[in-house]
Every structure is written in C-alpha cells, then in structure tokens.
Amino acid sequence: DGSSAVLVLGFESADHPLGPWIERAVELCRDHGGAVTSGPRLHEGDSTGQAEGGAAAWRQLFLQAPYLRDGLVALGAVVETFETAITWDRFEATVERVLAAANGAVRDLCGAGSVTIRTTHAYVDGVAPYVTVVAPGRPGEQVRQWDAVKAAVSEVLLDAGATITHHHAVGRDHVPWYVQQRPDLFGQVLAAAKRTLDPAGVLNPGVLGL
C-alpha cells in the first residue's frame, strides 16, 4: 500500500543446508523492525535442479521482464530501467533526488507515468539502486522522451557521485556521463589500446567514448 518496503530474501546452495542461514537472516530482519509475513520456507529443486514453488515463480517473472518491456515499447510506451551504485552514506539523499528528477521528467514529458526504485545488490560499502520508468509515449517522440528522462536521471547520478551504471556495461547511452566519471589516465590507456589494436576504428565505435 506504499507505506512500507518489501524485501525478497533467498539463499541457494547445492552442497549445504540452508535452514540456519534463512533463520539467521529472518532474525536479523526482525531485530531491525521488519515484519515477516510468511515463512521462512524451503523449496527443494526437482531432479533437473530447477527450483519449485515461490522460487520458481520469481525466476520465471524475472526472465519474462525484458519481454514485457519490449511489448510495452511496441505499444508506444516509454519503458526503461536505470541502474547505479552509491555508497551507503549518500544512498538516501541520492534516492530522493533521483526519484524527484525522474518523476518530474515523466510528468513534464509524458504527462503521467510510474517511477519505482529497488535495490538489487548490497555490499559492505554501498548499494545498487535500480530505477524503473513506465510512461505513455507520444507517437514519433518516444525516443526523445526516453532521452530526456535518461538525461534527467543521469545528471543527478553524476552530481551525487553515483556511478552511471552498475554492471550492465557502458554503451553509447552512458557515454556522456561515463567520460566525466572516468579518470583521465584510464581514458588515455583505453585510447592507446584502441589505436594499437583497432587502428581503423571498426570495433564498436563510440562505445566507452572511444
């Protein structure tokens, strides 16, 4: 209902029991004010090693997500997920700024839409927030709308010191902000390798700003 966040927590292993791991994780969640509405539950894989029950349902939805996105785009929607990484001390402020920028861009450019945020990877020193945008596109202007939303989010990430991407590579969409974050020496080394190994510039021109 929007009043709380949902944590989907799971462990997997092929060679040791998971019960103690899950029980400890649930205990930690409760210690920090979390409410465990069901479980924990253990799902054993079948003879092929495939998960069953809730784990299988989650996996299937995860694999279907890109196809759902492509279907919505084919219908004229503006749909995309932007991922980043940020240190814990700047996480909350950055999330607030990103949501404000994304919602503002969606409202101004599309008139309406949905902006959600989730964290997919967590580490000792930081976390990876993912922002998903779904909004109605105007015929013939969807790419311009997408570019504008992408730029609004990326400018905030750059200013906040967050990475322009987490692990989905650096393609042409990320280059304007990537080259601002990349150390000059690292860029020079990449350019030197490019000149030596690809003097004709036929290998992915424009990617990584090279």
Side-chain angles (χ1 to χ4, degrees):
D1 61 2
S3 62
S4 60
V6 176
L7 172 65
V8 179
L9 185 64
F11 296 94
E12 60 181 349
S13 171
D15 61 6
H16 64 269
L18 294 175
W21 290 44
I22 295 176
E23 291 170 4
R24 177 61 174 151
V26 169
E27 180 184 2
L28 289 170
C29 289
R30 288 195 174 111
D31 287 347
H32 289 275
V36 181
T37 57
S38 65
R41 293 177 297 206
L42 294 176
H43 295 287
E44 300 294 340
D46 60 21
S47 59
T48 66
Q50 296 298 314
E52 60 183 17
W58 180 90
R59 182 178 184 275
Q60 189 61 30
L61 288 172
F62 181 82
L63 295 176
Q64 289 174 347
Y67 299 98
L68 174 61
R69 176 202 61 196
D70 291 350
L72 290 171
V73 169
L75 293 173
V78 177
V79 183
E80 191 55 279
T81 294
F82 311 111
E83 94 278 12
T84 182
I86 187 75
T87 53
W88 284 112
D89 59 315
R90 289 177 285 178
F91 170 63
E92 291 189 24
T94 301
V95 165
E96 290 180 4
R97 292 182 60 191
V98 166
L99 286 176
N103 278 304
V106 166
R107 181 184 61 251
D108 295 342
L109 296 161
C110 306
S114 170
V115 178
T116 61
I117 192 164
R118 67 190 188 277
T119 58
T120 62
H121 301 69
Y123 311 96
V124 173
D125 53 352
V127 63
Y130 277 46
V131 181
T132 295
V133 176
V134 181
R138 287 188 295 273
E141 295 188 35
Q142 290 95 333
V143 173
R144 186 185 69 83
Q145 290 174 294
W146 181 93
D147 281 339
V149 174
K150 168 69 175 175
V153 172
S154 298
E155 289 296 333
V156 170
L157 296 179
L158 183 68
D159 186 64
T163 61
I164 195 57
T165 182
H166 177 244
H167 71 274
H168 285 159
V170 179
R172 294 175 184 86
D173 294 334
H174 294 126
V175 163
W177 301 277
Y178 169 70
V179 295
Q180 296 181 67
Q181 292 188 326
R182 182 184 65 198
D184 290 340
L185 179 59
F186 186 62
Q188 294 166 17
V189 171
L190 284 178
K194 178 80 169 177
R195 288 193 300 269
T196 301
L197 301 175
D198 184 27
V202 298
L203 178 62
N204 293 332
V207 174
L208 297 177
L210 302 174

